[in-house]
Amino acid sequence: MKPKTTTELLRDFKTDKIKNANVILELMKRLEDTKVESLTSAIEALCAIFIQLLIEQDIKVQSKVPDELKTAKDKFMDWILKLYDEMHQKLLCLLRHDAHSVQKLAMCTLLQFMQTEGRNPVRKNSGEVYHFPKYRLHILSDMIKKDKKKNKTDVFMNNLFPLLEQIDIPLEEEYNYKPCKLFLDPECDQEMAADPVCGFTISYDKAQKALNVIWLEILKFPLSVDLYRRCLILIPERVMQHLYNPVRFTNFFMESYNMGGAISLLALQGVFILINKHNLEYPDFYTKLYALLEPNIFHAKYKPRFFILLDKFLSSSHIPEYLVAAFVKRLARLTLVAPAPSLVLVLKFIVNLLLRFPGLKKLIHNPSVKGMEDDPYDASEPDPVRSKASESSLWEVASLQNHVLPAVSKVAGFINKNLPDMEHDIGCHVETTYEEVFEYTCKIQVHDGVATTFHKPREFFIYEDNKISSAWALV
């Protein structure tokens, strides 16, 4: 007789789980099969069966009763529990299977069992709290530790980083620590168990120590370009404030800052924190920052981040005015080639710098400089101090008063008015797109009677002083 398929066995079990309970034994025999297809189908069928039994409360640790006093149902439940434990052992062995698909399915099945068992505890527990099966997790973690390799693969690192990005430890003074256990169990305090959000489960000292150990090890691993960039973002924002000695990351950030391109943009924040808070001496910081102000910055993926950081870096009142003048002039020159959605951002940024450093207002009106021909500013000079920006003027901004976009010409009009009393919020302009510019422009109401030609045409295609008219004829 031809053996039944996995689907047929699963259907028989769902029809009558008591009568067809031997289906479980048949499927567990197939876990020894060498064919991957039949092995994976058996795992999936057994997963469905045991999850059903857990939900229906058929897998339970019975109270100790002599065998002669046990009912048929009690004996059935003891037998199912034994098979359930045996299934766990077989799945743990399959984690070492040669086929990756089998390993993955075995791991997912173990986790599904833990999840379902948490909602439907096999062992009795007090209260209605979610009961995580810690003993299952310990077995699984021991297995993983035994197979731990020194060389970290790309798959391992790509799986690790989403976990690291979820770790956001508050500062010590904001740390809401309550000494509760990691997983709720019968010994937990009932009041604490009823609170689903009971703060962190470890003290700040332990969390800080773990974070220091983790990141010092992470930077020893070979990182792909994507993971390298994610490190440059994650470390300054969530890690550096908890490090015992952030200066140990100096080489990492300095080498990144000197690479140029997008890597330099991302390294900016880390380098600035080291300079500002940890007394790192780097006299060329602003020179390197000045060099990043190129036309391609407007097309970079991290443009919003760059301008937010640039605004922060140029907010100190201790920066010399002649140095800030070079940044103002470089930004003004960039407005001549910047894409339309970025113009309002750059113009408002210039206004903010003029407000922070009142001595730079002389750049607004410098009668000796009216255009590029008589402009002493040297855009090709890499050193901002030697660029002669302080002797220049903002004629580039004046030219933008005739820009085709009303929003741009309106902002550029600050050059003929008094500067505002307060700085602009550039944060709302760093991600402006062409679509938003188009929608905004379309909403502007145009007055009736706008002239479309300079001279009233006498006939079709007949205009005064119009060369196009000679190129067309009505046939």
Side-chain angles (χ1 to χ4, degrees), residues 307 310-311 314 331 345-353 426:
F307 276 98
L310 183 63
D311 184 45
L314 296 176
L331 289 168
L345 163 67
V346 178
L347 289 171
K348 289 190 174 182
F349 195 5
I350 290 173
V351 172
N352 289 354
L353 293 177
I426 67 167

Side-chain angles (χ1 to χ4, degrees), residues 236-237 240 268-279:
E237 290 183 351
M240 288 186 78
L268 272 174
Q269 188 174 5
V271 174
F272 185 76
I273 290 174
L274 290 171
I275 293 172
N276 194 38
K277 295 185 177 180
H278 304 284
N279 301 319

Side-chain angles (χ1 to χ4, degrees), residues 311-312 314-317 347-358 419-429:
D311 184 45
K312 184 188 296 184
L314 296 176
S315 61
S316 173
S317 58
L347 289 171
K348 289 190 174 182
F349 195 5
I350 290 173
V351 172
N352 289 354
L353 293 177
L354 294 177
L355 288 172
R356 291 174 198 170
F357 300 88
L419 292 176
D421 296 328
M422 298 180 64
E423 292 186 10
H424 296 291
D425 177 16
I426 67 167
C428 56
H429 299 289

Side-chain angles (χ1 to χ4, degrees), residues 47-173:
C47 177
I49 288 172
F50 283 115
I51 285 178
Q52 177 186 334
L53 291 170
L54 283 167
I55 293 173
E56 294 175 356
Q57 306 292 314
D58 288 322
I59 304 179
K60 288 282 186 182
V61 175
Q62 302 293 316
S63 54
K64 292 183 179 181
V65 178
D67 290 343
E68 58 272 14
L69 297 178
K70 287 186 178 180
T71 63
K73 184 179 179 181
D74 292 337
K75 291 179 181 179
F76 174 77
M77 293 179 69
D78 286 346
W79 180 67
I80 291 293
L81 178 61
K82 183 179 178 182
L83 291 178
Y84 181 58
D85 289 335
E86 186 180 339
M87 179 66 183
H88 268 87
Q89 294 303 318
K90 287 185 177 293
L91 288 172
L92 290 170
C93 293
L94 289 173
L95 290 175
R96 296 193 181 94
H97 197 275
D98 294 336
H100 177 71
S101 59
V102 175
Q103 294 177 12
K104 183 178 177 181
L105 183 58
M107 175 65 78
C108 291
T109 305
L110 283 166
L111 295 176
Q112 279 185 277
F113 284 168
M114 280 193 280
Q115 182 186 40
T116 310
E117 192 177 330
R119 295 193 178 97
N120 307 276
V122 171
R123 299 176 180 180
K124 291 183 179 179
N125 66 302
S126 59
E128 300 297 324
V129 185
Y130 181 93
H131 182 77
F132 192 90
K134 293 182 287 184
Y135 62 100
R136 302 285 187 201
L137 186 64
H138 292 160
I139 295 171
L140 185 59
S141 62
D142 289 343
M143 291 288 298
I144 295 171
K145 287 176 183 177
K146 289 176 184 177
D147 290 343
K148 186 170 64 175
K149 299 178 181 179
K150 291 184 179 179
N151 296 327
K152 303 299 182 291
T153 63
D154 290 341
V155 174
F156 174 84
M157 296 303 293
N158 286 326
N159 288 333
L160 174 64
F161 263 76
L163 297 175
L164 294 175
E165 289 169 338
Q166 297 303 314
I167 300 174
D168 189 9
I169 302 175
L171 294 172
E172 188 172 12
E173 57 271 16

